[in-house]
Amino acid sequence: MIKLFHGSDKEIVKPIYGYGRSDCDYGSGFYLSDDESTAMMWAGQNEEGGYINEYEIEVADLNVLWLNHNNDEDVLKWMALLCFNRIDQETRLKNKKEIDYLITYYKPDLTNIDFVVGYRADDSYYDYARDFLSSDLPIELLKKAMMLGKLGLQHVLISKKAFESIVFIRSYRVEHNNYYNQLEKAANNEYEELLKEREIEHTYLRDIIREDIRHQSNKK
């Protein structure tokens, strides 16, 4: 059993399957965190304050996609899903070949997935992803970047089965706060320091694609 939290401008007793935006990191779904302070950050963005909604879910009987190992494979799968669901038009045009490659070879099939646990790409984190697509940020440092600011992982209900499995525990109001801006500022400062760690031997997206193509050619 996992305890999860959702920050919102309202109390949500029963999340609705099929409701919500499709242009989120993992597509349409209900997005939660296992960290209560993260939910407080989201709820507190509203000037009038908001609600922290607390839930429990048993994942033993769910088909879960775990993208939380902080390895190359998980990062590339997350990037492919981000490119498929959310990337902006300007970046899509600028990095079309790289995006098409990631989607073709790394995007997981979510058809039979109930629940996803993986990275999130909010604001500054989204910028890190775009830097990776442009081969300005190596994958070694992208993995580090996803941990900056302590934003944590997100847990996403994808299927109807997952929505039926979640149990509402309680909700409570929180006041407006500036936690999100503080987190963004801290993450951006840490990112500037992280960029100083770039090394010649690091692996950029263009290197990954070249190596993949080389392996594919050797198999023929």
Side-chain angles (χ1 to χ4, degrees):
M1 190 75 72
I2 300 177
K3 181 180 290 187
L4 297 171
F5 305 91
H6 178 84
S8 177
D9 61 347
K10 57 183 175 294
E11 182 181 67
I12 303 176
V13 175
K14 185 63 178 177
I16 302 172
Y17 173 69
Y19 177 80
R21 294 163 45 194
S22 60
D23 60 343
C24 296
D25 296 6
Y26 302 98
S28 180
F30 189 61
Y31 288 68
L32 306 109
S33 173
D34 61 357
D35 178 38
E36 191 172 3
S37 63
T38 299
M40 182 177 292
M41 176 186 71
W42 290 116
Q45 286 195 91
N46 305 294
E47 290 294 334
E48 301 80 13
Y51 289 85
I52 291 181
N53 299 281
E54 181 180 334
Y55 308 88
E56 286 185 345
I57 187 170
E58 178 57 68
V59 299
D61 296 327
L62 299 178
N63 191 7
V64 182
L65 175 62
W66 300 95
L67 296 178
N68 61 336
H69 305 107
N70 200 230
N71 56 30
D72 290 7
E73 182 178 359
D74 280 3
V75 169
L76 291 170
K77 286 180 178 179
W78 167 75
M79 280 294 310
L81 286 167
L82 185 70
C83 289
F84 183 78
N85 292 308
R86 186 180 164 189
I87 210 74
D88 61 277
Q89 187 63 20
E90 180 182 349
T91 304
R92 192 176 296 277
L93 291 173
K94 179 182 177 183
N95 303 110
K96 184 180 185 306
K97 291 182 179 180
E98 291 85 355
I99 289 171
D100 288 348
Y101 192 90
L102 284 170
I103 291 173
T104 300
Y105 293 101
Y106 288 100
K107 187 180 86 66
D109 183 2
L110 300 185
T111 304
N112 296 313
I113 296 295
D114 300 308
F115 189 69
V116 178
V117 180
Y119 307 108
R120 65 173 76 241
D122 297 304
D123 294 344
S124 60
Y125 294 77
Y126 187 74
D127 291 337
Y128 309 158
R130 287 191 293 196
D131 285 349
F132 177 71
L133 286 172
S134 298
S135 287
D136 292 325
L137 182 70
I139 194 167
E140 291 89 349
L141 297 186
L142 177 61
K143 289 185 291 185
K144 284 189 177 183
M146 297 318 298
M147 300 295 109
L148 297 180
K150 300 179 180 178
L151 190 60
L153 299 168
Q154 51 190 351
H155 299 66
V156 191
L157 309 180
I158 297 293
S159 72
K160 187 176 182 180
K161 181 179 180 180
F163 275 80
E164 293 172 347
S165 299
I166 198 165
V167 177
F168 176 78
I169 304 300
R170 63 172 181 144
S171 69
Y172 62 91
R173 279 194 61 81
V174 296
E175 299 300 319
H176 170 70
N177 60 66
N178 199 36
Y179 294 163
Y180 186 83
N181 290 335
Q182 292 172 4
L183 180 145
E184 282 290 302
K185 183 177 180 180
N188 285 327
N189 289 338
E190 291 175 19
Y191 186 59
E192 290 301 315
E193 292 300 312
L194 186 66
L195 289 177
K196 297 176 183 178
E197 299 180 22
R198 285 180 292 192
E199 301 289 348
I200 295 175
E201 63 270 19
H202 277 161
T203 308
Y204 293 84
L205 179 55
R206 59 173 175 264
D207 302 318
I208 294 171
I209 294 175
R210 286 169 184 162
E211 186 65 15
D212 283 352
I213 292 174
R214 187 179 69 81
H215 280 192
Q216 292 165 15
S217 297
N218 290 339
K219 289 179 180 179
K220 294 179 181 179

